Amino acid sequence: MFIRTITIFSAVVAALVACGGGAGGVSSVASRGELAGATARGQVSLAGVRTLLDAVNARASMPLLSSAPLYPVDFYRLTYKTLDSAGNLTSASGLLLVPAKPPTSTSPMLSWQHGTMSLESSAPSYADGTLAGTSSEAQGGFVVASLGYIVVMPDYLGYGAAKDIFHPYLQARTLASTSVDMVRASRMFLSRNNIAVNGQLFLAGYSEGGYATLATQREMETSFPAEFALTASAPGAGPYDLTNSAALVLGSANLAGVTHAGSLAFLLKAYDVYYNNPSRLALYFTAGMVLDCVNRDFTTAPTYGTDSVFGSFESCIGGTTVTTDILNPSFINSFNTGGEIILKAALAENDIYDWAPRSRTRLFYSTGDDVVPPLNTVNAYDAMVAKGAAQVQTVPCAGVLPATHWNCSAPYVIDVLDYFGTLAMDL
């Protein structure tokens, strides 16, 4: 077993940011991706990693790994600077997982973007390494790190250090900026603590995490190509084409076919926060939904720390599908007959499928997805190939029945690890 000694930088970095540093120190003028603080949370032993893996496997009902964990995992909570929805600097946080390899070893880096969270306390950076104190997705992060990857898991705005900000659900620019800047902050931390990376960078995530992954890839490739050389990206089941997804979901013939209305309610609430002035919630939702589920100030409500907006929507809605019990018939009619221009413009602004990736891009999806319409992946692939992308492929979910959104999350992880395993060095 190898345990790294973390330099004094980790203990005083926040003070350096506040006070300014000398030559080679941390600037007193904050910028995107700047590391603002780092807290060593401990190490999970190989036995501890196996416990987490057993829990992940039990939920998945299938083994996620074809090989046993290799390393204990050191883990850290990082805080850093990123951009909010208005383009202003703000603080964010995330979880950094480092395999405890010999000091001279190097590792590839994998940024894993999490899916939609029901609990604010499930943010990756709250993980304590125990089965009870670590969210299910962070548990998977520890398992992946034990294979030899340095794993980066951003919390996103709305969670962790940024929990007082309403989560900009499915807003491409903020999901991308928090992920890009978490990678930057992690690189700074690793460099200053003499933890070597080998230059490989992978991106992965499922559902909202798949959307965040593709948005992050687009920002890295189009805005910072000299800074980030992606080895491969593997977005899974993300709603990349929001415009056509909304048209499908809100089409009158499809109103009874959506099984997870909480996601739609979360999206409409978030877009109302960030794109509408004044609010149009009373026009989107029925009076009961507005009163009981949507029109709350979740940044100050006492329940915010234990139940996120999405979790509250799911609790309020229960098993109800998207019908006129939830959405105003006048809103549905307006959307389908040329109205709701602001909402449609916001959806179009956050479409992320119509561009040409330069890196290897593996789009995982299910033709039986009951949450994110398969058209998102199909349309993304067709548009990317039409624009000249030469390294894009689609991978349909296999091995589970029914091949629903949640049932395909385990096959997605298996596919990602198998695929990245053919490309990763120094594991």
Side-chain angles (χ1 to χ4, degrees):
M1 179 186 297
F2 299 91
I3 303 177
R4 289 187 173 86
T5 300
I6 302 303
T7 70
I8 195 167
F9 167 80
S10 299
V12 302
V13 63
L16 285 172
V17 169
C19 302
V26 180
S27 169
S28 60
V29 180
S31 58
R32 279 192 63 179
E34 186 170 290
L35 182 62
T39 303
R41 299 297 305 277
Q43 184 183 88
V44 176
S45 66
L46 272 177
V49 172
R50 293 188 188 105
T51 297
L52 297 178
L53 175 59
D54 288 343
V56 172
N57 283 340
R59 288 192 303 273
S61 300
M62 62 179 66
L64 295 186
L65 298 184
S66 58
S67 59
L70 300 175
Y71 308 101
V73 178
D74 299 319
F75 62 110
Y76 311 88
R77 184 181 194 268
L78 303 186
T79 55
Y80 61 97
K81 295 298 180 182
T82 191
L83 299 178
D84 65 15
S85 184
N88 301 314
L89 279 175
T90 191
S91 295
S93 54
L95 177 67
L96 176 65
L97 303 164
V98 181
K101 296 179 178 179
T104 57
S105 300
T106 64
S107 303
M109 181 178 285
L110 194 167
S111 181
W112 196 286
Q113 287 64 240
H114 66 74
T116 306
M117 294 191 306
S118 295
L119 298 176
E120 199 277 326
S121 57
S122 295
S125 70
Y126 289 131
D128 65 6
T130 69
L131 187 59
T134 303
S135 67
S136 58
E137 200 150 7
Q139 289 172 14
F142 278 92
V143 172
V144 174
S146 76
L147 300 179
Y149 296 92
I150 292 173
V151 177
V152 176
M153 300 187 75
D155 289 338
Y156 306 156
L157 299 182
Y159 307 102
K163 69 179 182 180
D164 290 335
I165 298 173
F166 192 97
H167 175 52
Y169 188 53
L170 298 182
Q171 186 181 64
R173 64 177 180 270
T174 49
L175 287 169
S177 63
T178 52
S179 301
V180 167
D181 294 336
M182 178 65 185
V183 171
R184 287 169 165 159
S186 298
R187 284 176 169 179
M188 180 182 292
F189 174 84
L190 296 168
S191 175
R192 291 177 181 270
N193 287 286
N194 301 312
I195 301 172
V197 294
N198 68 4
Q200 289 188 302
L201 176 59
F202 298 88
L203 301 177
Y206 190 79
S207 196
E208 183 185 10
Y211 179 88
T213 294
L214 194 61
T216 300
Q217 179 182 358
R218 185 179 66 169
E219 179 163 345
M220 286 180 170
E221 290 192 4
T222 60
S223 299
F224 310 107
E227 183 179 357
F228 299 100
L230 287 175
T231 305
S233 176
Y240 321 118
D241 184 352
L242 290 168
T243 295
N244 284 305
S245 293
L248 175 67
V249 169
L250 294 176
S252 58
N254 298 289
L255 286 175
V258 178
T259 59
H260 293 274
S263 299
L264 177 60
F266 198 176
L267 176 66
L268 291 174
K269 169 70 174 182
Y271 277 29
D272 188 72
V273 169
Y274 288 103
Y275 298 104
N276 289 340
N277 187 16
S279 171
R280 293 178 61 82
L281 290 178
L283 298 175
Y284 294 161
F285 296 100
T286 62
M289 273 293 295
V290 171
L291 178 65
D292 295 334
C293 300
V294 223
N295 199 18
R296 300 180 184 178
D297 181 1
F298 286 91
T299 62
T300 58
T303 58
Y304 186 85
T306 58
D307 197 9
S308 73
V309 178
F310 174 69
S312 294
F313 287 160
E314 292 283 87
S315 298
C316 287
I317 296 168
T320 307
T321 55
V322 182
T323 67
T324 51
D325 292 336
I326 296 171
L327 298 179
N328 268 330
S330 58
F331 162 66
I332 297 170
N333 181 67
S334 175
F335 190 93
N336 289 321
T337 56
E340 306 307 321
I341 302 302
I342 294 176
L343 175 59
K344 289 176 179 176
L347 293 167
E349 177 183 316
N350 291 288
D351 286 338
I352 58 170
Y353 69 95
D354 194 8
W355 62 289
R358 293 192 294 272
S359 310
R360 298 179 184 91
T361 305
R362 189 174 177 91
L363 299 167
F364 183 98
Y365 77 114
S366 170
T367 57
D369 199 314
D370 56 333
V371 178
V372 178
L375 67 82
N376 286 277
T377 296
V378 174
N379 290 358
Y381 175 79
D382 289 345
M384 290 171 177
V385 170
K387 288 185 176 295
Q391 299 189 83
V392 177
Q393 62 182 141
T394 58
V395 179
C397 175
V400 293
L401 290 174
T404 59
H405 187 75
W406 302 120
N407 284 351
C408 284
S409 59
Y412 166 74
V413 174
I414 294 170
D415 184 78
V416 166
L417 295 180
D418 286 347
Y419 176 57
F420 285 174
T422 66
L423 302 171
M425 299 182 294
D426 305 323
L427 294 177

